Amino acid sequence: MTAQDDRQDERIRYLLGDVSEEDAQRLEAEYLEEDGAFDALLAAEDELFFDYARGGLSDGERRKFEARFLHDDEGRRRLARTRVVSKALRPRSALRRPSVWIGLAAAALLVLAFWSIVRRGPVDDPDRSIAAVTPVPPRANPVVVLTPGAEARVYVPADAPTLTLEITLPEARPDAPWQLVLSTADGASVWRSENPIRSAVRTLKVEIPARGLAEDEYALVLSDGGGAPAVYGFVLLRD
Amino acid sequence: MSRWVLSQESFDRLLSVLDPDREKAALRYEQMRRKLAKFFQWRGCSGAEELVDETFDRVARRVDEGVKVWVDDPYSYVRSVATRVAQEHFRSPARKAQPLDDAPEAIVAPPPAAEEDDPRLDCLTECLDALPDEQRRLLETYHEGQGLKRIQARRAIAEGLGIPINALRIRAFRVRSGLMACIDDCTRRPRNESAPAA
């Protein structure tokens, strides 16, 4: 690691609140007095937003980032903008070229064809072939299991009236009055708990209206009125 | 005892201590405000702008009282005041948890706009197209990959450009900031209005 990488590592740790008070004061003296040091920290902060948006932070870093930068609307709006830009900057590689799409589609068809032959099994087993083509009925009441640090996916059929959020609480606190806010990737709140919710166990189950939820990335922010909020991410998929 | 309030005269005195040239002093003041806002945010304080005001109020008051707060290094004194303000912020009883039952009525926002209606996507395309080729390529290659591969790729870009890695980070940040500002401007414009010529 070069000395410059080392400084960048220190900047990231400072921004996540992970340096000693002595080191924090030294960095603060530097950037308050030198514009170059300040610019380097602004750049490091911006990269943290990009890395978070792309899932490039460790669990611990994610939690610290959420507590420090996503506790207010401004931070969440900034993250939403970063996500938009980050998606556009994904290596264009060759994916936008039609010939590559055609190639990929052909490869996918080959894989599917091969897989269907493998799964079909012996041709004289009618039950197996029927099972292979029987569609799986969509769940009328889908459930998404949310655990800290993991991004879940849930398929919600168009006619599902509700979506159940099954949340593993950050800590077991039977008397904590949890408040929940669900936001889209661009920071718009789409649902919030009307009253604080309590749970005697570490798992909380909440049923929310599903019809107004579009296909999107969502963030569920869980707070108990003090301390750092817990943030859970999930992707909601539609037909 | 009446509470000290920042007057125009006090503010002028504060500026004159920052720099004898008023224009330079104003620029210096703005830059200090910007840095202090980040200082409080990076310390994990909420309401950074109010804390910046509080810091400058205290400094201006000391100047009013005739205290020689600095000679060559205004940041050093301002930083010591700001650190104290941050420490007091964390000790403030107002930061203690409020009962959720006292929270205002919950508001259910309307469902989000469908992706095809998101004006930012059109704006993003417009702003990316307006970006000079080398800047766009810089951003794409800068953000490519993960872990060690990404570090090595960035070193290679910096070497190719003949600049230190830190200068590359700042350069990429400035291009991203310009892109974000372009998207913000574009989303504020009426949808059928085209971008001003560069």
Side-chain angles (χ1 to χ4, degrees):
Chain A
M1 183 182 273
T2 67
Q4 286 193 341
D5 291 335
D6 203 27
R7 294 301 320 264
Q8 180 72 353
D9 184 51
E10 187 181 45
R11 286 182 203 111
I12 297 288
R13 285 188 289 109
Y14 168 73
L15 293 171
L16 295 174
D18 219 7
V19 293
S20 66
E21 178 61 24
E22 193 181 320
D23 286 342
Q25 288 199 18
R26 177 176 45 77
L27 277 164
E28 284 158 358
E30 273 176 27
Y31 76 73
L32 286 173
E33 284 158 33
E34 295 166 29
D35 290 350
F38 184 61
D39 286 346
L41 267 161
L42 290 174
E45 180 194 45
D46 201 50
E47 285 190 17
L48 264 179
F49 271 82
F50 265 79
D51 287 344
Y52 179 86
R54 291 186 166 186
L57 300 184
S58 68
D59 285 354
E61 288 170 336
R62 269 173 61 112
R63 277 195 291 276
K64 286 170 189 163
F65 177 86
E66 285 161 358
R68 192 148 282 216
F69 294 102
L70 301 185
H71 62 87
D72 60 6
D73 287 346
E74 193 190 325
R76 289 192 288 273
R77 274 197 298 272
R78 181 172 176 187
L79 177 64
R81 287 203 310 267
T82 304
R83 280 195 164 129
V84 170
V85 174
S86 165
K87 278 180 188 165
L89 291 179
R90 283 215 166 105
R92 274 187 296 174
S93 55
L95 286 179
R96 288 187 187 170
R97 290 205 298 268
S99 58
V100 174
W101 279 112
I102 292 165
L104 285 174
L109 280 173
L110 279 173
V111 171
L112 278 173
F114 173 74
W115 186 241
S116 66
I117 290 166
V118 170
R119 291 211 40 179
R120 193 173 297 143
V123 287
D124 57 351
D125 185 348
D127 288 337
R128 280 190 76 164
S129 64
I130 289 168
V133 293
T134 303
V136 178
R139 291 191 66 167
N141 295 300
V143 178
V144 58
V145 178
L146 302 172
T147 47
E151 188 167 90
R153 280 172 178 263
V154 60
Y155 168 77
V156 181
D159 58 350
T162 59
L163 167 65
T164 300
L165 311 173
E166 194 175 304
I167 308 148
T168 303
L169 297 171
E171 54 185 310
R173 288 172 52 198
D175 297 325
W178 299 105
Q179 190 86 37
L180 279 67
V181 179
L182 183 66
S183 308
T184 58
D186 59 6
S189 300
V190 291
W191 174 86
R192 65 178 66 208
S193 51
E194 285 181 17
N195 296 301
I197 298 168
R198 288 179 169 82
S199 175
V201 291
R202 217 184 143 188
T203 307
L204 193 64
K205 276 192 183 177
V206 184
E207 205 169 65
I208 65 169
R211 291 220 165 91
L213 301 175
E215 190 168 273
D216 205 341
E217 288 175 60
Y218 289 86
L220 180 75
V221 180
L222 188 70
S223 58
D224 65 350
V231 183
Y232 302 80
F234 69 93
V235 178
L236 188 149
L237 301 166
R238 290 286 194 182
D239 286 327
Chain B
M1 195 175 96
S2 64
R3 191 178 184 278
W4 184 88
V5 179
L6 181 70
S7 63
Q8 184 62 49
E9 292 75 33
S10 307
F11 184 66
D12 288 344
R13 266 193 291 276
L14 173 69
L15 285 185
S16 68
V17 176
L18 288 178
D19 199 293
D21 180 314
R22 195 174 167 83
E23 269 189 34
K24 282 184 192 162
L27 286 174
R28 206 163 186 190
Y29 171 77
E30 283 305 324
Q31 174 70 334
M32 282 169 91
R33 280 200 71 91
R34 192 163 165 253
K35 286 183 174 183
L36 283 179
K38 281 295 176 188
F39 166 88
F40 287 116
Q41 194 190 347
W42 291 337
R43 281 241 160 192
C45 304
S46 52
E49 283 297 326
E50 285 169 28
L51 299 176
V52 175
D53 286 341
E54 176 63 27
T55 303
F56 275 116
D57 280 4
R58 290 189 192 188
V59 175
R61 185 176 181 174
R62 299 294 283 165
V63 174
D64 254 9
E65 289 167 356
V67 176
K68 294 227 176 293
V69 292
W70 61 73
V71 181
D72 296 324
D73 179 12
Y75 286 118
S76 178
Y77 181 74
V78 173
R79 180 167 56 86
S80 68
V81 175
T83 304
R84 218 163 29 244
V85 169
Q87 285 163 350
E88 287 171 19
H89 169 80
F90 283 114
R91 285 198 299 263
S92 158
R95 286 196 75 252
K96 288 192 178 146
Q98 301 286 320
L100 282 167
D101 291 339
D102 295 346
E105 190 83 6
I107 301 162
V108 178
E115 192 168 86
E116 61 267 26
D117 292 334
D118 189 343
R120 282 182 312 199
L121 295 178
D122 289 339
C123 289
L124 176 66
T125 310
E126 183 183 308
C127 293
L128 276 174
D129 287 347
L131 216 55
D133 275 353
E134 73 274 12
Q135 289 190 5
R136 184 175 174 140
R137 269 199 304 277
L138 170 71
L139 280 192
E140 285 175 350
T141 48
Y142 186 82
H143 288 286
E144 211 163 7
Q146 290 284 339
L148 188 62
K149 273 191 178 171
R150 191 171 74 177
I151 293 169
Q152 287 168 340
R154 287 180 182 180
R155 277 199 200 127
I157 301 169
E159 277 174 27
L161 292 170
I163 56 175
I165 186 80
N166 203 38
L168 174 70
R169 286 188 188 113
I170 293 170
R171 189 177 289 190
F173 163 63
R174 289 192 174 135
V175 177
R176 285 195 305 267
S177 299
L179 187 61
M180 297 280 199
C182 173
I183 293 169
D184 286 346
D185 285 348
C186 168
T187 46
R188 278 194 289 268
R189 282 201 313 267
R191 294 290 290 270
N192 53 358
E193 193 180 310
S194 59

